[in-house]
Amino acid sequence: MSDADTTEDPGELRTPIVAVLGHVDHGKTSLLDKIRGSAVIEGEAGAITQHIGATAVPLEVVSEVAGNLVDPTEFDLPGLLFIDTPGHHSFSTLRSRGGALADIAILVVDVNDGFQPQTEEAIRILKDTGTPFVVAANKIDTIPGWNPTADAPVKQTYEDQSDRVRSQLDEKLYELIGELSGAGFSSDLYWRVQNFQSNIGVIPVSAETGEGVPDLLTVLMGLAQRYMKSEMEVDIDGPGAGTVLEVVEERGFGTTLDVILYDGTIEQGDQIVVGGTNDPIVTEVRALLKPRELSEIRTEKRFDDVPEMQAAAGLKIAAPDLDDAMAGAPVRVVGDKDVADVVADVEAELAEFAVETADEG
Ligand code: GDP
């Protein structure tokens, strides 16, 4: 961090972490791709950053994509960090201190198919973890006669449709709202929702045409800003805390960890404790890696070495002795604490994790 950075007090705001859930083929991957794509087109190159296992969409890009839907001065959260691996399996294995790693979720539902088994499963997981979510009613472009406007706010293109097309969409949306009600959630089209804490916002989208993506980003940002700001207040310079996404063999580095850092700072050389299949692993960060910028890809190297990373971020940790590390396990920077205390914390968290995984079985 530069010397100019004087904001050291706890209470700095981190980026909310967003996960995407939903039934297979309902469009989770396509929607994530579209979010990445539209952010790249609208923002200047590089404004959106690819992390390991995640994509950061800064506030400036959200407001650029959202156009007049967003007044950036209303926000002080830095943006949104999307976990790249969609699906409820990754969602339920990724924990942070007993809760869900993701702060908010997007439940993707194919507007033609409605609720399917994995939609129900996702709803159950969201309910159990108390994770706030929005519903992306996807594939609106498949409504017969749909007249698309690429990447436009759906609030606008909805009005642009013929009465017949709009009422067909309405019918499907009301079915979906009925299904959500059956699952115990009161919901409505997002532009009719006053209180997003008691009502789930339904956002009609197309991952194909990009319609509704501006609205989706706007609602997520608004939800986070309005209802999650206090949870985003972290001691950003404090010892880092994260969750292992994946344990990956990497040529030249050996066994590495892909990690989502949700709190504090991690630095090269830091002593860390990582949850393992046997005892927690105590080791030292040899290198912190992030994906190499596209402009520099000519070289063989796929990663950039960085001295430190701050939450929220996705990164790769290279360190000795990681062979027994587990996906879903906690990673903690020891910092000024007693190593034994941090090991005990990690053990306690792993015990909880084991109980939950057994419950799911
Ligand atoms: P996932 O299994 O939930 O990740 O679903 P995918 O993103 O792989 O999408 C499943 C299929 O639906 C693919 O063939 C996509 O091209 C298609 N698809 C996804 N979103 C849309 C959409 O908004 N409109 C249309 N027409 N097709 C879509």
Side-chain angles (χ1 to χ4, degrees):
M1 190 177 297
S2 75
D3 294 340
D5 193 344
T6 52
T7 47
E8 285 210 340
D9 28 314
E12 267 191 275
L13 296 168
R14 74 157 168 86
T15 319
I17 299 168
V18 187
V20 180
L21 304 183
H23 194 70
V24 63
D25 282 346
H26 280 198
K28 299 176 293 294
T29 313
S30 311
L31 189 60
L32 271 166
D33 284 349
K34 198 67 192 183
I35 289 168
R36 283 192 284 255
S38 41
V40 168
I41 293 160
E42 296 279 344
E44 54 276 39
I48 181 167
T49 46
Q50 194 56 52
H51 290 218
I52 300 284
T55 303
V57 181
L59 174 62
E60 301 78 65
V61 175
V62 174
S63 67
E64 189 112 10
V65 170
N68 58 13
L69 292 176
V70 159
D71 174 1
T73 61
E74 284 177 18
F75 296 96
D76 46 18
L77 290 177
L80 299 164
L81 185 77
F82 291 86
I83 299 177
D84 284 343
T85 336
H88 67 242
H89 179 70
S90 67
F91 183 89
S92 34
T93 49
L94 298 177
R95 296 294 171 124
S96 68
R97 296 191 174 122
L101 173 64
D103 303 298
I104 327 178
I106 305 171
L107 178 63
V108 180
V109 186
D110 181 330
V111 79
N112 302 296
D113 267 11
F115 269 38
Q116 293 297 324
Q118 287 166 292
T119 320
E120 312 252 8
E121 170 74 7
I123 288 256
R124 199 176 60 70
I125 295 168
L126 292 169
K127 214 186 240 177
D128 287 351
T129 52
T131 308
F133 65 99
V134 298
V135 172
N138 191 30
K139 309 199 186 184
I140 55 170
D141 63 292
T142 61
I143 306 282
W146 183 263
N147 176 20
T149 308
D151 302 320
V154 74
K155 208 176 164 188
Q156 170 204 319
T157 62
Y158 177 84
E159 296 300 333
D160 292 344
Q161 306 305 314
S162 68
D163 289 347
R164 203 173 57 83
V165 170
R166 199 168 42 242
S167 66
Q168 275 191 70
L169 175 59
D170 281 343
E171 204 172 297
K172 291 180 192 285
L173 291 171
Y174 286 127
E175 266 172 48
L176 182 53
I177 287 167
E179 285 172 312
L180 280 160
S181 165
F185 289 98
S186 136
S187 68
D188 206 341
L189 275 170
Y190 87 88
W191 55 79
R192 297 198 193 119
V193 173
Q194 302 282 339
N195 181 344
F196 282 89
Q197 258 175 329
S198 49
N199 275 287
I200 306 290
V202 176
I203 303 139
V205 301
S206 165
E208 184 78 22
T209 67
E211 288 164 291
V213 170
D215 314 63
L216 178 62
L217 293 178
T218 303
V219 173
L220 288 171
M221 200 69 214
L223 199 63
Q225 178 73 34
R226 194 101 183 253
Y227 303 111
M228 274 166 222
K229 197 174 147 180
S230 61
E231 291 163 52
M232 296 303 112
E233 282 173 0
V234 296
D235 177 8
I236 213 139
D237 297 316
T243 303
V244 177
L245 278 179
E246 225 183 322
V247 183
V248 191
E249 204 60 41
E250 208 73 68
R251 188 178 300 186
F253 296 101
T255 306
T256 66
L257 304 180
D258 290 359
V259 168
I260 300 283
L261 188 71
Y262 61 81
D263 197 356
T265 299
I266 186 165
E267 293 177 35
Q268 205 185 335
D270 273 348
Q271 189 178 36
I272 56 171
V273 179
V274 183
T277 44
N278 300 311
D279 293 329
I281 302 157
V282 180
T283 184
E284 198 169 285
V285 177
R286 186 178 288 157
L288 295 173
L289 305 166
K290 56 176 210 172
R292 188 137 255 240
E293 298 289 335
L294 273 176
S295 55
E296 303 164 37
I297 216 111
R298 286 170 278 129
T299 60
E300 288 281 290
K301 273 175 72 179
R302 289 169 50 224
F303 302 109
D304 270 330
D305 226 313
V306 291
E308 66 166 35
M309 290 276 249
Q310 288 192 321
L315 65 149
K316 186 183 279 296
I317 297 176
D321 305 324
L322 293 176
D323 290 337
D324 288 342
M326 287 193 302
V331 180
R332 295 280 180 282
V333 172
V334 174
D336 297 335
K337 289 187 206 144
D338 197 343
V339 182
D341 291 344
V342 181
V343 168
D345 283 352
V346 167
E347 268 171 346
E349 239 183 87
L350 277 173
E352 200 178 318
F353 181 73
V355 170
E356 278 164 15
T357 321
D359 282 351
E360 269 166 38

